[in-house]
Amino acid sequence: MDFCFSKTAPIVETAKGKLRGFRFKGVDHFYGVRYAKARRFQMPKPVEPWEGVKDAGSYGMICPVLGEPQPSGEVLIPHRFWPSSEHCQYLNVWTSSCDRLAKKPVMFWIHGGGYAAGSSIEQVCYDGFNLAKLDDVVVVSVNHRLNAFGYLDMSAFGEKYKNSVNVGMADLVEALRWVRENIAGFGGDPDNVTIFGQSGGGAKVTVLGQIPEAEGLFHKAIVMSGVIPSDMNQNLVSGKELVLEILKPLHIPENQAERLEKVPVPQFIWAVNKAVRAIYKQGKRVSWGPAPNGYYVCDPLEGSFTAHSLTVPTMVGSVLAEFAFGPGRDIKNMTEADSEKLVKDFYGPEGGGKILAEFRKAYPNTPVAFAADMDDMFLPATVEYVKKKAKDASAPVYNYLFAKVFDYDGGKAAWHCSDIPYFFHNAGMIPVCHQENWEVLDRVMSSAFVSFARTGDPNTQGLPQWDRCQDGRMVTMVLDDQCYTRANMQDELLPLLAAYKPHASFDFGAPAEEEEEEGGNAWVF
């Protein structure tokens, strides 16, 4: 039978009690597994033991967001939305065998959405079925606290809040502890866990490498479009200033800040948004995310990699046109002269000419019109991260760049999130991924990730030799219909982009005023 949900199977006994999932087409699914509990602004604690068998057939609650996203761009990135609660410490597991002796590699997925939004199931392609069935790994995806629930710095208001600015990350550490203690019962190897995430999830992968409590809980790391530029953290408001601003509309005095723990979620979100608007009017910014303290060491681009993180095999990559939000290029009706004019109009005649020459060297198979869409947000920080880690690490560091041009709106180069379905072996689920050669690319990209998770080496059938990066030689695997490698391919391009590309700041800004129509895109992350 394709489906099984019986009184006796599939049931797994965890350290705290029994869970029952369901089996479908050879894969056991366990949804909504509670891995921790926590009071608002405070560190998570493991769940208590229970008697009997708990149901694990429904996804768990996701973290509340501070503003409802407006669905758009769903053809590019299909989404799913779900009920929310600040008590959102739930995870999901997909496995083809619950045999404790199977010792399959474990792939622990951390969703995107910055540190403010998203969930383990928000994108349709965040589904572990195919990786479990076709690639024989155990997939875990996880929800955790976000935005003001996970990263509000309350440390000025009491010792119990000393790490409130990092409790969202602490949730992830607790989830990894759950994996270490329980994943063998789901057929996984607790000594072979790969953390991987995209955008905000990729950033969280880099942060976990800098948290001593996470050491030994994972053994490989994959960062997808997640190395955040340090200049995005300029002119930020202090934690205390923000909390004081939140207290004002709630009429809570400073010496009673602890009352924020009990403010109902809708009222708390209203006060946070009101405070953020006030902060922006003062010329300061609010950016949810972790902050260095005794728990989290530092951003490795601003300080140093921890000694342990340098022993963890790492893969880091991004996509060609990350945040090129405009319409597609009508490349089928453009001559080479048209394309060159477009690029020179964008960068200026001098800059455009130089960039065209270097773009042709780096991307010989890509229409030159897409030189105007090149990412200059994640790519410079990614290159810096890879070079710095490769120079000092004892473990291998690999780099990739997803450069596919999609037949969408006349032609669109790989956008933020467009690589995720292929790495999940889920391109078949996403209509826009049904491009020429999609099945080959789907198989090759997922196989590279799985090979890396299994052995620490992404080389796989269908790819040319993929060498690790070394000091002075950054090797990039360009993932496209025809994959190839280049050494130091960004060294000439990035200075030209910095010199000639019109500057564009990336800031979501303050929430819309209450009487205004809500803004924002669901698909940005």
Side-chain angles (χ1 to χ4, degrees), residues 99-111:
D99 180 358
R100 285 185 170 272
L101 300 179
K103 290 191 174 296
K104 301 173 186 290
V106 179
M107 299 191 72
F108 182 96
W109 172 248
I110 306 173
H111 67 76

Side-chain angles (χ1 to χ4, degrees), residues 11-20 47-55:
I11 291 177
V12 170
E13 183 158 7
T14 71
K16 298 300 176 66
K18 294 180 180 179
L19 295 168
R20 180 177 65 165
V47 296
E48 295 295 323
W50 65 87
E51 298 292 331
V53 180
K54 277 193 174 183
D55 175 70

Side-chain angles (χ1 to χ4, degrees), residues 151-163:
Y151 299 99
L152 182 63
D153 186 358
M154 292 276 292
S155 59
F157 299 92
E159 177 66 16
K160 67 178 177 177
Y161 304 129
K162 66 180 181 180
N163 199 38

Side-chain angles (χ1 to χ4, degrees), residues 12 91 93 95 97-100 104 106 138-140 177-191 193:
V12 170
L91 56 78
V93 182
T95 179
S97 171
C98 290
D99 180 358
R100 285 185 170 272
K104 301 173 186 290
V106 179
V138 177
V139 180
V140 178
R177 288 196 182 102
W178 184 95
V179 168
R180 181 185 61 190
E181 293 174 3
N182 297 292
I183 207 64
F186 298 84
D189 183 354
D191 295 320
V193 177

Side-chain angles (χ1 to χ4, degrees), residues 351-367:
K354 293 178 179 179
I355 287 171
L356 281 166
E358 294 301 328
F359 187 86
R360 286 185 170 110
K361 294 177 188 175
Y363 303 100
N365 303 328
T366 305

